[in-house]
Amino acid sequence: MENSTEQVLKKHGLKNTRQRNVVLEEFFKSNNALSQPELEKRLKGEMDRVTLYRILSSFEESGILHSILDRQGTMNYASCNASCSAAHHHDEHLHFNCDNCHKIFCLDVKIPAVNLPAGFQVAQLSLTATGLCDTCS
Amino acid sequence: MENSTEQVLKKHGLKNTRQRNVVLEEFFKSNNALSQPELEKRLKGEMDRVTLYRILSSFEESGILHSILDRQGTMNYASCNASCSAAHHHDEHLHFNCDNCHKIFCLDVKIPAVNLPAGFQVAQLSLTATGLCDTCS
DNA sequence: TTTTATATGCAACTTTGATGCGTTATAATG
DNA sequence: CATTATAACGCATCAAAGTTGCATATAAAA
Ligand SMILES: [Mn+2]
Ligand SMILES: [Mn+2]
Ligand SMILES: [Zn+2]
Ligand SMILES: [Zn+2]
């Protein structure tokens, strides 16, 4: 009987280590994005700082997580939806950064198309909102 | 006879120091945003690293520059338009981050309005595009 | 020209992140 | 189940970005 974090690791072809399961559990428990500093605080004693960095990178590369830069330049991570893979991320949605609780939410809001001046070729768009989240407002 | 950087400093009520004029000249010479590391490289020997940080902060606070976070989390700065002040920045336009030359351009493209889920109150929107700029494409 | 507030330089420190390397543990294979 | 190759981990070390405290220098006002 495998738990769900182990299933996710297997599905993405990653070795089933204690540290990876611990990190993944944090995301399963949270409904918003988690910053690297926050994760480091929560997992102090559980694993080395460097291991956390490497796990986050490998999770992003394999399509388990996607990264979000907040207003202060801090790296945050959130679960990807099921269709994400190493080959392609499908995370072009709005990210909401609450000014009060500082949480970051992935909202199911599509990024509108924009008209750019001639010569500019868009590869990717990112849209971030600041303000008050639904619980803080 | 004052040069234009001195006029800008006076207009914003900032002391006219050699270091501030040197920093401001870099922005007058550039048609794209400048990153902190790039500025530090260019102004090595001209002033202390800490002074540069403090000048950039004061310029942002007084509405001379606005800050832009690029994809790698590096802080960049660009000239504000004439109507910006300490009280309010008017820099809600699209920022284009070229994948090739890595320059950041402030484009005169308004950020479209978006519909958020109930409870979320937007204070500010930021829209960033990556791709190829007009000279690289 | 003096005075005073502000800006600067320098030292020290923190945080975030990267890299090299020896050791440990996973998972495949026999 | 035992062996073994390889990937992951822990630890040490380093670098870049940014902050803070304090003494000194310098604009700008008096
Ligand atoms: Mn997201
Ligand atoms: Mn801009
Ligand atoms: Zn909130
Ligand atoms: Zn370019």
Side-chain angles (χ1 to χ4, degrees):
Chain A
M1 182 64 194
E2 291 177 326
N3 67 37
S4 49
T5 59
E6 288 178 330
Q7 289 171 18
V8 170
L9 291 175
K10 179 172 280 184
K11 191 177 109 184
H12 289 85
L14 296 176
K15 266 196 189 175
N16 179 26
T17 68
R18 180 185 63 79
Q19 293 87 338
R20 284 176 174 167
N21 280 282
V22 168
V23 172
L24 211 38
E25 261 159 38
E26 289 299 321
F27 286 95
F28 278 31
K29 286 190 289 187
S30 175
N31 63 328
N32 51 62
L34 298 170
S35 70
Q36 184 280 323
E38 172 65 22
L39 283 164
E40 193 172 321
K41 241 176 283 170
R42 292 193 192 184
L43 303 178
K44 177 134 65 185
E46 289 284 343
M47 71 194 67
D48 192 78
R49 250 167 40 80
V50 178
T51 301
L52 174 58
Y53 277 108
R54 293 197 267 231
I55 287 177
L56 291 172
S57 297
S58 74
F59 281 5
E60 184 177 13
E61 198 175 349
S62 55
I64 298 175
L65 301 177
H66 64 277
S67 61
I68 311 153
L69 267 180
D70 69 17
R71 207 88 210 80
Q72 294 91 65
T74 308
M75 198 54 92
N76 288 253
Y77 295 87
S79 300
C80 285
N81 64 51
S83 67
C84 286
S85 68
H88 194 58
H89 277 274
H90 306 276
D91 55 337
E92 291 216 347
H93 49 245
L94 184 141
H95 289 131
F96 192 94
N97 204 333
C98 181
D99 290 327
N100 184 245
C101 65
H102 302 109
K103 288 179 182 168
I104 293 181
F105 302 91
C106 295
L107 298 186
D108 194 14
V109 173
K110 290 266 180 300
I111 301 178
V114 288
N115 268 46
L116 292 211
F120 287 89
Q121 291 176 9
V122 175
Q124 200 176 55
L125 279 172
S126 93
L127 181 61
T128 306
T130 59
L132 294 177
C133 76
D134 53 349
T135 54
C136 289
S137 70
Chain B
M1 182 62 192
E2 293 177 326
N3 66 37
S4 49
T5 59
E6 288 178 330
Q7 289 170 20
V8 170
L9 292 175
K10 180 172 281 184
K11 191 178 108 183
H12 288 86
L14 296 176
K15 267 195 187 177
N16 178 26
T17 68
R18 180 186 63 78
Q19 292 88 335
R20 284 176 174 167
N21 280 281
V22 168
V23 172
L24 212 37
E25 260 159 39
E26 290 299 322
F27 286 95
F28 278 31
K29 284 190 289 188
S30 175
N31 62 328
N32 51 60
L34 298 171
S35 68
Q36 185 280 323
E38 172 65 23
L39 283 164
E40 192 172 320
K41 240 177 284 171
R42 293 194 191 183
L43 303 177
K44 178 135 62 185
E46 288 285 343
M47 71 194 67
D48 191 79
R49 251 168 41 79
V50 179
T51 302
L52 175 58
Y53 278 108
R54 293 197 266 231
I55 287 177
L56 292 172
S57 296
S58 74
F59 282 4
E60 184 178 13
E61 198 174 352
S62 55
I64 297 174
L65 301 177
H66 64 278
S67 61
I68 310 153
L69 217 50
D70 69 18
R71 196 99 311 26
Q72 294 92 59
T74 307
M75 199 53 93
N76 288 255
Y77 295 87
S79 300
C80 286
N81 64 51
S83 66
C84 286
S85 68
H88 194 59
H89 276 272
H90 306 276
D91 54 339
E92 291 216 347
H93 48 245
L94 184 141
H95 289 130
F96 193 94
N97 204 334
C98 181
D99 290 326
N100 185 245
C101 65
H102 301 110
K103 288 178 181 169
I104 293 181
F105 302 91
C106 295
L107 298 186
D108 195 14
V109 173
K110 289 268 181 299
I111 301 179
V114 288
N115 269 46
L116 291 211
F120 287 88
Q121 292 176 9
V122 175
Q124 201 175 52
L125 278 172
S126 94
L127 181 62
T128 306
T130 59
L132 294 177
C133 76
D134 53 350
T135 54
C136 290
S137 73

